[in-house]
Every structure is written in C-alpha cells, then in structure tokens.
C-alpha cells in the first residue's frame, strides 16, 4: 500500500524532540520501525502495532532521563529532563531568584487586600516595608497546586498538596491618600493618574543577619474620585476574569466600550464592571467623567438573515451575553433604565423580550426565543447605540416535505440545499499539528478529510467554504474572521488529536467534539454520538473548551478531533483511504440529520 501507515523507514522517534524538558511524571515515545522483529527500550521489548508503530510510556525521575532504543543494528537515544514544579529554597542568606511578588506594578482601590510573597530559607523571618508600615510574611506549611487545564484530557486533574518549605506570604490594606505614610526614597508620585506609588522593600533575617531587597513591582493606591476612563480600541476586546491570559474569558467588549479603571496589574486593567482587559486593546480618554448611561426605548427591525435589536445609550457601556435553553440574556453595566416602550413585532427569532433592573446601574434583558437552537449573534456599537444581531434559522428545505428523521438523504437528494457550511482544516504550512508515528503531519490528513467531507456535503446540496484549500499557513484570527464574514449556518474545524506529556498514548484513542457557546452544544453532542455509533468508533468524549475555533459567536462552531495521531493502531485507521471515505460520509450524514431536527 502506498500509504503513510506502511512507510518503509528505519527506527525513528518523532516525539519527544531532542533535549525535551517537562514537568510531567511520565513521558511517551512515539515512533516506528519495520514491523519484523523487536524494538527494545533500555533493553526491554515494547508493544507495537501491526505496521510496527509504538507509543510506550515510561516514568520520569527528576533531572535527566535517558532512553536508548534498539532495532536490530539501529540505535536511537532520547534524553528527557524532568524539572521540578516547586522552586527550591535558596542556599544561605538570600531570597529565591525572581520569587518576590508582586513582580509587576499594581494599582488597587483604598482598602483592598495587597498580598506579598517570597521564597526564603525556612528558618528565616521575612517582612515587607511599605514606607512606615511593616507587613510580616508568614511561613506556609503546605501548598495546594492545581494542574493545568489540559490535565482534564488525561483524567489527571486532581489537586496535589505538598510541603511549602521556604514560602512566605502576607497581606495588608492601604488607605486613600497613603502618600502621607511614606517617607525616605520609596515614594514615587504620579506613576498612575490620581495615585501615589510606593516600592516595597523586602527584609530577610536569619541566624542574626539581615538583608533587604527592593521588589520589582510598585504599589499604587487609586483615588476613587479620579479614576481613569479606558476605551476599547480593538474590534473585539478580550475581557477576562483576571489579569493574565491564564484567566477565563468573558463576553468580548465591542469596540468603543468605555469603563472606569479600578485596578492595574502589569499591562492589565481592571474595569469597573469586574472584567480585566489588556491595556494594549484600550486607550485612556483625557478629561473623561465616569461612564454612566440611561436607557429608554428599545426597537427591533429585520435585516437579511437576522433581527437587529437597537439599544440607544448615552455612552458605550460594558456588556455580557449568556445563552440558555430558548433564552439569550444581555446585561448592560453602568446603566439605569427609564424604559417605558419596547417595539417588538412578530418575527422569526424572538417570541418576547423581558427586562429588569437587577442591581443599581445594571439592566438585564432576557430574549425568549421561538426555537431551542440558536444560530449565532453579533454585538457592535454604532456610536453610543448598542446593536445586537440575532441570526435567523438557515433555509432548510420545507417542513413536512419528508426531510426529517432517519434516511433523510434517501428521501431528498439535496437535503442541505440553501445551507452554508464552513470547514476548517486545522493547521497548515509551518504549523504541522500532531505527528503520527511515521512523522506524517496532522496538517496533511486534516486537509484530506476536509476535502472528502466537502465532497459529501456538496452532494447533499450544501454550499461549502474552506479556510484553506492547500498546504499553507492560515492564522487563527484569519480563520475566525472568515466565519464572521461568511456567516455560515455552522462552522466545523477538523483535527486529529494528541496528548500532553503524562498521557497514555498507547491506550488513548477515539472521536471527540469540542464546543464553547451553548448554541454549539447540540451540534457537538449530536455529531459525536452519530459518528461513534455509525462507525463503531471509540469515544474520547465531548468537551466544553475555550478554543479559537469554538469561540466564534456568529455561528454554532464546533471543533472535531477525529482520532489520535499518536496512537499506533488508531493511526493505521486514520491513514486508511477506505476508512477516510467512510468517516467523511458519516460526518456528512450526521450534519444532515442534525439540520433536519435543529429547527
């Protein structure tokens, strides 16, 4: 067979790469060798697939781990270094390297907790001096570490407790106008508008000796009467629950949104409604007053394929959206209602619009919808007017014409006529994606299967768009922009899977579906169940996941992981041309059946 599965190549290891470092307790070796004979790892034979592929896992000790693979007269040596997750206590009279926190400049409101941390010898006494205030840092006996989010993919997402020898922590609060408490050279005025700034001095005493070290991050206390006003300059400002990309995303803020800045941490701004945003996506407005708005009448009108709901405001305020079963809830912050009139005629999506002032300066609008399935939404500001677009159901062939239920494609040769679908073959160009045991890159098989699915969908009458037609690099923002521009009925990103270090590559396989917005949950669950049952494939599961290609709200957007590139036996199924055709047909059938029941 002229197929990557039977590639005639010598002993090779495609993962891990040379001099790999990891914090995982185990590592898998992905590779291949001719199928006849044994492959030995450190002198012991390992399990292989019929085509000769392997993916054994081995425990790792801290430090360097050497794996020597032999096949007949061929040898490959792999070195993997396991690094500790907890920094070591310093030797002698010193703080741990880069251990003083906060490590970036921060700004808080008066009375908010300000916390400090340091790593020092366990027998030390540690404190922080803020002007004439001394904050003791107390030794912590135990630390609970949460694993990375990816640990859920390997079933290893339990917290781990361990001794916290040498870790010191303490907190304090600072009043407004704390500049009067500062003396010496520690005070820096004007670093943040309407604030005074102090640089903390850490002190360590052990065995009768004392050292001090100035912290890298300065502390500012904001004046509530002189808060800056930030305006979102990005087309869709990324709002988060905290001041780094480690924190969860909130509803994106439309361009032009304005809010008071109530805190800073490094380059991140905390806005008055609670969300954080990177300062690079904003500008500070000069001479601005706190953004507050009244709202009165609300109106709706229809455009091609959508209903627009218009909220006239005095300033562009922060917003959030929450989808539910037959509901969409829009919350306006820093807003007070004076509403007496809402115009809402009978239209394709909304059955009723309810509203209430749920808190001072917080108005909530609940759209009761005619269908459980939602087809996408967009938010934008036109000046100070917020416009919410709710997409109409796509033009599925007429009700009562024999288009629903099992055997759909046999009753109607074009059941997807009028349906626009976007397919996204993952990766491409320099972005290889996962590698199979032979080194065959995921980007290639993603494109192969996407073209086969497109062929099947077109045969059923769909209009199909692809984010790439060839082996080229397409950025994630470019892929998302295509969804927003084309406004397909659904968007599917097609991938093949791998695992993070610590997973069991030899025994993990199966089909998986990933969704983010509730409007995509039904599609993800349906396609997963349909393909698994029709092809009798193993299930890897259905996941809510914060991924670039599941986040678009314009259309129900789902990412499918069709199988594991790194699993030796599943890789043989993945690259089998006959099985690829069966998989493409099953995906197209599942899409067709889902559309027949979604409206």
């Amino acid at each position: 067979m002229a197929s990557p599965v039977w590639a005639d190549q010598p002993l090779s290891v495609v993962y891990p790469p040379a001099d790999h470092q990891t914090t995982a307790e185990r590592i898998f070796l992905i590779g291949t060798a001719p199928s006849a004979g044994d492959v030995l790892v450190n002198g012991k034979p390992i399990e292989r697939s019929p085509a000769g592929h392997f993916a054994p896992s081995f425990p790792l000790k801290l430090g360097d781990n050497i794996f020597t693979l032999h096949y007949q007269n061929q040898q490959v040596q792999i070195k993997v270094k396991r690094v500790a997750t907890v920094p070591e206590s310093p030797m002698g009279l010193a703080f741990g390297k880069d251990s003083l926190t906060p490590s970036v400049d921060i700004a808080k409101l008066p009375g908010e907790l300000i916390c400090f941390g340091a790593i020092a010898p366990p027998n030390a006494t540690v404190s922080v001096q803020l002007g004439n205030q001394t904050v003791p840092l107390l030794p912590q006996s135990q630390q609970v570490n949460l694993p990375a989010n990816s640990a859920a993919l390997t079933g290893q997402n339990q917290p781990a407790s361990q001794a916290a020898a040498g870790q010191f922590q303490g907190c304090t609060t600072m009043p407004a106008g704390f500049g009067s408490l500062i003396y010496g050279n520690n005070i820096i005025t004007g670093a943040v508008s309407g604030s005074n700034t102090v640089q903390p001095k850490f002190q360590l005493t052990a065995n009768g000796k004392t050292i001090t070290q100035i912290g890298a991050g300065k502390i500012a206390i904001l004046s509530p009467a002189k808060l800056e006003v930030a305006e979102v300059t990005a087309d869709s400002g990324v709002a988060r629950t905290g001041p780094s990309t480690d924190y969860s995303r909130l509803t994106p803020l439309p361009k032009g949104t304005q809010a008071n800045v109530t805190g800073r941490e490094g380059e991140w701004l905390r806005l008055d409604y609670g969300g954080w945003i990177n300062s690079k996506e904003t500008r500070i407005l000069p001479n601005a007053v706190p953004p507050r708005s009244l709202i009165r009448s609300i109106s709706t009108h229809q455009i091609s394929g959508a209903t627009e709901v218009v909220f006239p405001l005095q300033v562009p305020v922060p917003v959030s959206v929450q989808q539910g079963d037959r509901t969409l809830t829009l919350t306006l912050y820093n807003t007070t209602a004076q509403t007496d009139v809402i115009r809402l005629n009978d239209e394709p999506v909304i059955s009723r619009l309810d509203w209430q002032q749920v808190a001072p300066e917080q108005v909530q609008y609940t759209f009761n919808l005619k269908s459980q399935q939602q087809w996408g939404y967009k938010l934008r500001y036109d000046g100070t007017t917020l416009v919410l677009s709710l997409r109409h159901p796509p033009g599925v062939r007429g009700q009562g014409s024999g288009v629903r239920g099992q055997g759909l494609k046999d009753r109607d040769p074009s059941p997807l006529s009028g349906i626009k679908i976007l397919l996204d073959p993952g990766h491409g160009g320099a972005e290889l994606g996962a590698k199979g045991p032979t080194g065959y890159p995921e980007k290639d098989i993603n494109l192969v299967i996407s073209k086969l699915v497109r062929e099947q969908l077109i045969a059923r009458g769909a209009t199909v768009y692809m984010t790439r037609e060839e082996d080229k690099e397409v950025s994630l923002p470019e892929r998302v922009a295509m969804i927003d521009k084309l406004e397909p009925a659904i968007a599917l990103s097609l991938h093949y899977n791998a695992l993070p270090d610590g997973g069991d590559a030899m025994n993990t396989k199966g089909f998986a579906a990933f969704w983010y917005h509730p409007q995509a949950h039904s599609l993800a669950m349906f396609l997963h169940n349909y393909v698994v049952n029709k092809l009798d494939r193993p299930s890897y599961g259905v996941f809510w996941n914060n991924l670039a290609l599941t986040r678009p709200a314009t259309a129900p957007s789902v990412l499918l992981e069709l199988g594991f590139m790194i699993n030796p036996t599943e890789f043989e199924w993945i690259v089998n041309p006959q099985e690829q055709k069966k998989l493409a047909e099953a995906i197209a059938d599942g899409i067709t059946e889902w559309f027949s029941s979604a409206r």
Side-chain angles (χ1 to χ4, degrees):
M1 294 177 59
S3 166
V5 69
W6 293 109
D8 186 14
Q9 63 186 72
L11 173 66
S12 64
V13 176
V14 300
Y15 190 89
D19 298 321
H20 182 59
Q21 293 191 8
T22 182
T23 60
E25 297 180 354
R26 300 181 65 84
I27 194 71
F28 45 71
L29 309 180
I30 310 298
T32 193
S35 57
D38 289 335
V39 171
L40 307 180
V41 178
N42 293 344
K44 296 182 179 180
I46 58 173
E47 180 183 355
R48 294 202 288 159
S49 72
H53 312 316
F54 54 80
S57 291
F58 299 96
L60 296 174
K61 68 179 190 298
L62 288 173
D64 290 339
N65 298 259
I66 304 297
F67 300 96
T68 303
L69 294 84
H70 284 97
Y71 174 77
Q72 296 180 358
N73 63 343
Q74 302 171 37
Q75 176 178 309
V76 174
Q77 192 168 80
I78 300 293
K79 183 172 75 173
V80 178
K81 183 176 183 179
R82 180 185 166 195
V83 295
T85 56
V86 177
E88 296 181 3
S89 297
M91 302 296 292
L93 192 67
F95 287 107
K97 183 181 179 182
D98 300 326
S99 71
L100 305 185
T101 59
S103 59
V104 296
D105 295 350
I106 67 171
K108 300 250 185 173
L109 291 172
E112 286 191 293
L113 276 179
I114 304 171
C115 293
F116 302 90
I119 295 176
N123 63 338
T125 299
V126 181
S127 63
V128 171
Q129 186 174 357
L130 293 174
N132 61 358
Q133 181 181 155
T134 299
V135 183
L137 303 192
L138 304 179
Q140 305 300 300
S141 60
Q142 196 169 44
Q143 177 177 326
V144 177
N145 292 320
L146 293 178
N149 275 290
S150 60
L153 303 176
T154 59
Q156 300 169 349
N157 61 330
Q158 295 301 309
S161 298
Q162 59 190 42
Q167 299 208 27
F168 293 78
Q169 295 178 5
C171 300
T172 189
T173 61
M174 298 293 284
F178 79 100
S180 61
L181 301 176
I182 308 305
Y183 64 86
N185 296 322
N186 288 341
I187 183 69
I188 304 170
T189 302
V192 178
S193 177
S195 70
N196 286 325
T197 303
V198 63
Q199 198 154 16
K201 182 167 68 173
F202 290 77
Q203 180 173 293
L204 184 161
T205 300
N207 301 322
K209 297 181 179 180
T210 298
I211 63 166
T212 61
Q213 184 173 327
I214 300 299
K218 295 183 284 290
I219 313 298
I221 301 300
L222 302 174
S223 170
K226 300 178 181 179
L227 295 177
E228 294 176 321
V229 174
E231 179 183 70
V232 175
T233 55
D235 288 337
S236 184
V238 179
R240 294 185 179 273
T241 58
S244 80
T245 56
D246 291 335
Y247 288 89
S248 300
R249 289 179 179 241
L250 301 171
T251 300
L253 297 176
K255 185 176 183 177
T257 299
Q258 296 178 17
N260 279 128
V261 177
T262 62
R264 290 176 176 260
E265 188 163 327
E267 62 183 8
W268 291 83
L269 308 179
R270 183 181 63 190
L271 304 183
D272 53 18
Y273 82 109
W276 290 77
I277 189 170
N278 194 295
S279 59
K280 295 177 181 177
E281 296 189 312
T282 69
R283 69 184 181 109
I284 299 300
L285 298 178
N287 305 316
V289 297
R292 298 293 184 269
S293 180
L294 300 174
I295 185 165
R296 293 176 179 163
S297 63
I298 299 165
S299 62
T300 65
H301 62 266
Q302 292 187 40
I303 60 173
S304 177
T307 295
E308 288 195 339
V309 188
V310 179
F311 300 85
L313 297 164
Q314 295 170 302
V315 294
V317 298
V319 300
S320 66
V321 172
Q322 179 64 52
Q323 292 180 319
D325 288 339
R326 293 184 179 272
T327 63
L328 182 143
T329 301
L330 171 70
T331 300
L332 305 183
Y333 299 91
N334 302 332
T335 302
T336 302
Q338 289 185 348
T339 301
D340 285 334
V341 176
I342 296 177
R343 178 171 183 172
L344 177 61
N345 298 327
D346 187 21
E347 59 88 49
V349 178
I350 308 167
S351 63
R352 190 179 73 249
L353 172 57
D354 300 326
W355 73 271
Q356 59 180 327
Q357 186 91 38
V358 295
E361 299 187 335
Q362 186 173 326
V363 187
Q364 192 172 87
Y365 297 89
T366 300
F367 293 86
N368 300 279
L369 305 175
K370 293 184 176 180
S371 171
Q372 184 168 335
Q373 178 58 47
Q374 299 181 44
W375 296 97
Y377 69 88
K378 290 184 175 181
L379 277 172
R380 73 178 190 276
Y381 272 112
D382 287 343
T384 64
T385 296
L386 179 68
V387 180
L388 169 66
S389 298
L390 298 176
R391 294 187 61 199
H392 296 167
V396 178
R397 294 286 285 269
Q399 298 180 8
S401 62
V403 300
R404 296 176 179 271
Q406 295 294 319
L408 172 74
K409 66 185 180 69
D410 296 328
R411 293 186 235 164
D412 187 338
S414 300
L416 297 180
S417 178
I419 301 296
K420 188 161 58 174
I421 296 172
L422 182 136
L423 297 179
D424 170 51
H427 307 290
E431 295 291 333
L432 302 181
K435 289 182 181 180
T438 64
Y440 184 56
E442 179 198 347
K443 65 171 185 173
D444 289 352
I445 187 62
N446 290 344
L447 187 58
V448 169
I449 199 68
S450 295
K451 289 182 175 180
L452 290 173
V453 173
R454 176 178 63 179
E455 179 182 313
Q456 292 286 335
L457 292 173
I458 290 175
R460 291 159 173 77
T463 300
V464 182
Y465 297 88
M466 303 252 291
T467 57
R468 65 181 179 99
E469 301 267 1
E470 57 189 359
D471 181 21
K472 69 175 184 178
E473 190 167 340
V474 183
S475 71
L476 294 176
E478 288 174 325
R479 296 169 196 252
V480 171
M482 288 186 68
I483 297 175
D484 289 337
K485 179 180 179 180
L486 293 171
E487 298 184 345
I490 63 172
L492 292 180
S493 187
L494 301 181
H495 288 252
Y496 286 85
N497 219 340
L499 287 171
D501 289 348
D504 184 357
M506 196 71 188
N507 296 301
T508 303
K509 60 179 67 174
F511 186 97
F514 297 79
W515 61 279
Y516 183 77
H517 293 289
Q519 65 189 13
H521 175 261
S522 169
L523 177 61
M525 188 68 71
F526 189 95
L527 289 180
H528 169 271
N529 293 346
Y530 189 93
V531 173
V532 166
N533 292 330
K534 182 166 185 177
L535 298 183
D536 193 26
R537 295 300 304 167
S539 165
Y540 184 57
V542 178
F543 300 82
W544 179 91
N545 207 335
N546 172 25
L547 301 169
L549 270 298
T550 60
R551 285 196 300 266
T554 303
S557 302
V558 168
L559 186 144
L560 299 179
E561 295 279 7
L562 307 176
F564 277 84
M565 294 288 287
I566 61 176
N567 180 281
T569 56
E570 190 154 64
F571 178 70
E572 297 182 18
W573 171 81
I574 288 170
V575 296
N576 184 309
Q578 288 73 34
E579 298 298 332
Q580 292 168 3
K581 292 178 181 178
K582 292 178 185 178
L583 175 59
E585 183 175 8
I587 293 171
D589 282 346
I591 291 170
T592 305
E593 295 290 344
W594 180 80
F595 270 110
S596 74
S597 59
R599 292 180 72 234

